Amino acid sequence: MTTLETISEQRCFDGTQGFYRHDSLACGGAMRFAVYLPAQAQIAPVPVLYFLAGLTCTEETATIKAGAQQLASELGMALVMPDTSPRDTGFEGATGDWEFGEGAGFYVDATVAPWASRFRMYSYVVDELPAFLATHFPVDTTRASICGHSMGGHGALTIALKNPGRYRSVSAFAPIVAPTQVPWGRKALPRYLGDNTARWAEYDACELVRLHNFPGSILIDQGEADRFLTEQLRPELFDQACAESGQSLLLRRHPGYDHSYYFIASFIDDHLRHHAQALGLA
Amino acid sequence: MTTLETISEQRCFDGTQGFYRHDSLACGGAMRFAVYLPAQAQIAPVPVLYFLAGLTCTEETATIKAGAQQLASELGMALVMPDTSPRDTGFEGATGDWEFGEGAGFYVDATVAPWASRFRMYSYVVDELPAFLATHFPVDTTRASICGHSMGGHGALTIALKNPGRYRSVSAFAPIVAPTQVPWGRKALPRYLGDNTARWAEYDACELVRLHNFPGSILIDQGEADRFLTEQLRPELFDQACAESGQSLLLRRHPGYDHSYYFIASFIDDHLRHHAQALGLA
């Protein structure tokens, strides 16, 4: 087990907002993540909500912009926000393109060199980070839920659908639901996973939900003024896949809202309450 | 009256978070500001809370980090967050020092060249911006309150004390209350205002409160883990000045909180409710 390096800790809504770094085995180098611990964690371990951010984001983005700490403080829920990829990989092509490489890990375990040695965000988020948290923080990682935005919404949906026993609930803001069909996915997945499209399907929420349902209803919020709506996000594909496979889904469409954190902040409390109910906090 | 340029508008908590630019006469060039308009503004003009940010900040800082829109949306209150100084002045020494010049206007009307031609944030905030808002936005600037952080807390306190009829209430987070006595003020004020210390005192909350009280109680929140507390902020000086001059003050000290927006976000709702009551919204 690697050691925990504290970057900063600041008091926030009676709890602590911290930023940390550790050496990741899955990602072959240093990884950063943010943890909000409510005051209740001083009494007993608290359940965890993972929030996975989108393209270009870091562990700071949702921490600063989503406004999730206030209600997490009331509910007694930890918020864990990892970075969106390994950093400083030095791989050719890893920086300079916001849709691929650093800041764009797509929450997969890459199988193609050189990415396979570092870009293993799937294993990092599902296995390594929870184990590390359980050792170093007063959190109960057996009570966990997962949420995300855009590429992170894709991460949340695919991770939950592949590991239904590990998460009590799942939700997403403006998620990529069909990466095998949209430009973002069709650009990134072959470079991480190779040309066999069957491998891509293992990280496609529309494909996964046809294999096995997630217990309980999935919550998705989508802004109708989102400029990525019709080309990259296409929530109707997931709506249809859920309908056809019997998956319970609450897909809410919000006129006027875009892809930004102003949209996320406007509805984050609904997501926290959704997860709190599943986690036995509400 | 100059024209309004819309930089961006995004839906947020059923209202609109906008960023704007206009040509300022007071500041001799373009100025940027942010406005949050709650949905109630579609029915009738809404009252205004000005929020003045601190050193190094812009109109984006509190807009993104303070988390004020949620309750402003419920209360039906507009939030106006101006930039902290003119920009792109080209003056020698205007950039490169975070404690003076661009990003550090100190909410004064400078009288020393070259600053006097651009650094007139006092007149901008007190007169020009409200008049501009009243013309271009569905806000009732006759119902206004003012709040700020650090250097912006200094701005809020001094502006309210100098213009008690214009603001229904005033509050601050970790304000500079005695700029004539602390390093930040003793560095900036002579450069903006010259060597006559009587001119500095016109922008010193501890001096001003001895001249005339503000009607109603002033609310100040201060974190006790604030690294600027003992050298730059010294809230005990304002506490004493208020006590001696009969000014009602609620100074709350919060153990563990620092100077950051995690501190502000933790208590911003209390400030909005303070102002809402004075504005007849609560």
Side-chain angles (χ1 to χ4, degrees):
Chain A
M1 185 61 65
T2 60
T3 58
L4 172 71
E5 179 188 350
T6 300
I7 298 169
S8 65
E9 288 185 333
Q10 296 174 267
R11 197 163 175 87
C12 180
F13 289 105
D14 285 332
T16 302
Q17 180 60 59
F19 290 94
Y20 308 95
R21 189 189 289 114
H22 70 141
D23 287 324
S24 162
L25 296 172
C27 293
M31 287 294 295
R32 297 191 310 256
F33 61 92
V35 177
Y36 177 70
L37 278 181
Q40 293 88 330
Q42 296 169 22
I43 312 299
V46 293
V48 177
L49 177 63
Y50 298 94
F51 187 98
L52 306 182
L55 291 166
T56 78
C57 294
T58 73
E59 74 285 1
E60 288 192 311
T61 313
T63 301
I64 291 172
K65 295 184 171 182
Q69 292 96 343
Q70 183 167 21
L71 187 53
S73 158
E74 290 177 26
L75 294 168
M77 174 192 293
L79 303 172
V80 174
M81 301 183 177
D83 198 356
T84 56
S85 78
R87 302 284 173 176
D88 303 315
T89 60
F91 296 157
E92 190 176 338
T95 60
D97 181 348
W98 67 282
E99 298 175 318
F100 180 79
E102 296 184 20
F106 275 85
Y107 304 98
V108 302
D109 280 352
T111 55
V112 174
W115 316 102
S117 65
R118 298 289 306 274
F119 285 73
R120 295 170 50 80
M121 288 298 292
Y122 176 81
S123 289
Y124 178 72
V125 170
V126 173
D127 293 320
E128 186 177 21
L129 181 58
F132 187 80
L133 294 168
T135 305
H136 291 86
F137 292 85
V139 293
D140 177 2
T141 54
T142 69
R143 287 190 294 158
S145 292
I146 192 163
C147 176
H149 171 232
S150 196
M151 175 187 74
H154 147 76
L157 292 173
T158 54
I159 284 172
L161 286 166
K162 289 159 80 82
N163 303 277
R166 296 211 186 192
Y167 303 94
R168 305 281 178 99
S169 49
V170 57
S171 71
F173 294 90
I176 304 168
V177 296
T180 63
Q181 299 184 58
V182 305
W184 275 336
R186 295 182 69 87
K187 176 179 182 175
L189 294 183
R191 294 180 70 180
Y192 287 133
L193 303 172
D195 293 333
N196 184 344
T197 58
R199 297 288 83 76
W200 310 356
E202 294 172 12
Y203 296 102
D204 182 301
C206 285
E207 299 289 338
L208 289 166
V209 79
R210 296 181 194 278
L211 299 180
H212 32 175
N213 283 8
F214 184 84
S217 189
I218 296 172
L219 171 62
I220 293 180
D221 278 323
Q222 174 65 56
E224 293 200 324
D226 187 323
R227 66 192 175 101
F228 302 114
L229 178 59
T230 55
E231 187 184 9
Q232 302 281 11
L233 303 177
R234 303 180 66 182
E236 70 281 2
L237 296 178
F238 193 63
D239 200 17
Q240 184 180 355
C242 287
E244 291 174 3
S245 60
Q247 171 67 53
S248 175
L249 168 70
L250 178 58
L251 169 60
R252 307 192 302 183
R253 294 171 175 270
H254 302 281
Y257 286 90
D258 68 7
H259 200 65
S260 74
Y261 274 80
Y262 294 116
F263 161 58
I264 295 173
S266 299
F267 299 102
I268 190 74
D269 281 3
D270 291 347
H271 287 244
L272 263 63
R273 292 190 195 285
H274 171 79
H275 296 298
Q277 190 158 30
L279 292 164
L281 292 172
Chain B
M1 186 60 67
T2 60
T3 57
L4 172 71
E5 180 189 349
T6 300
I7 298 169
S8 65
E9 289 185 331
Q10 296 174 266
R11 197 164 175 86
C12 179
F13 289 106
D14 285 331
T16 302
Q17 179 61 59
F19 290 94
Y20 307 95
R21 189 190 290 114
H22 70 140
D23 287 324
S24 162
L25 296 172
C27 293
M31 288 294 295
R32 297 190 309 256
F33 60 92
V35 176
Y36 176 70
L37 278 182
Q40 292 89 329
Q42 297 169 21
I43 311 299
V46 292
V48 177
L49 176 63
Y50 299 94
F51 186 98
L52 306 182
L55 291 167
T56 78
C57 294
T58 74
E59 74 285 1
E60 289 192 311
T61 313
T63 301
I64 292 172
K65 294 184 172 182
Q69 293 96 342
Q70 183 167 22
L71 187 54
S73 158
E74 289 176 28
L75 294 168
M77 176 191 291
L79 303 172
V80 174
M81 302 184 177
D83 199 356
T84 56
S85 79
R87 302 282 173 177
D88 303 315
T89 60
F91 296 158
E92 189 176 339
T95 59
D97 181 347
W98 68 281
E99 297 175 318
F100 180 78
E102 296 184 20
F106 274 86
Y107 305 98
V108 302
D109 280 352
T111 54
V112 175
W115 316 103
S117 66
R118 299 289 307 273
F119 285 72
R120 295 171 50 80
M121 287 299 291
Y122 176 80
S123 289
Y124 177 72
V125 170
V126 173
D127 294 319
E128 186 177 19
L129 181 58
F132 188 80
L133 294 168
T135 304
H136 291 87
F137 292 86
V139 294
D140 177 2
T141 54
T142 69
R143 287 189 293 156
S145 293
I146 192 163
C147 176
H149 172 232
S150 196
M151 176 186 75
H154 147 75
L157 292 172
T158 55
I159 284 172
L161 286 165
K162 288 158 81 83
N163 303 276
R166 295 210 187 193
Y167 303 95
R168 306 282 178 98
S169 48
V170 56
S171 72
F173 293 90
I176 303 169
V177 297
T180 64
Q181 299 184 60
V182 305
W184 275 335
R186 294 181 69 87
K187 175 179 183 175
L189 295 182
R191 296 180 69 181
Y192 287 133
L193 302 172
D195 293 333
N196 184 344
T197 58
R199 296 289 83 75
W200 311 355
E202 295 172 11
Y203 297 102
D204 182 301
C206 285
E207 300 289 337
L208 290 166
V209 79
R210 297 181 192 278
L211 299 180
H212 32 174
N213 283 8
F214 184 85
S217 189
I218 296 172
L219 170 63
I220 293 180
D221 278 323
Q222 175 64 57
E224 294 200 324
D226 188 323
R227 67 193 176 103
F228 302 114
L229 177 58
T230 56
E231 186 183 11
Q232 303 280 11
L233 303 176
R234 303 181 65 183
E236 70 281 2
L237 295 178
F238 193 63
D239 199 16
Q240 184 180 353
C242 287
E244 291 173 4
S245 60
Q247 171 67 53
S248 175
L249 169 69
L250 177 57
L251 169 60
R252 309 192 300 184
R253 294 172 176 270
H254 302 281
Y257 285 90
D258 68 7
H259 199 65
S260 74
Y261 275 81
Y262 294 116
F263 160 58
I264 295 173
S266 299
F267 299 101
I268 190 74
D269 281 3
D270 290 349
H271 287 243
L272 263 63
R273 292 189 194 285
H274 172 77
H275 297 298
Q277 190 158 29
L279 292 164
L281 292 172

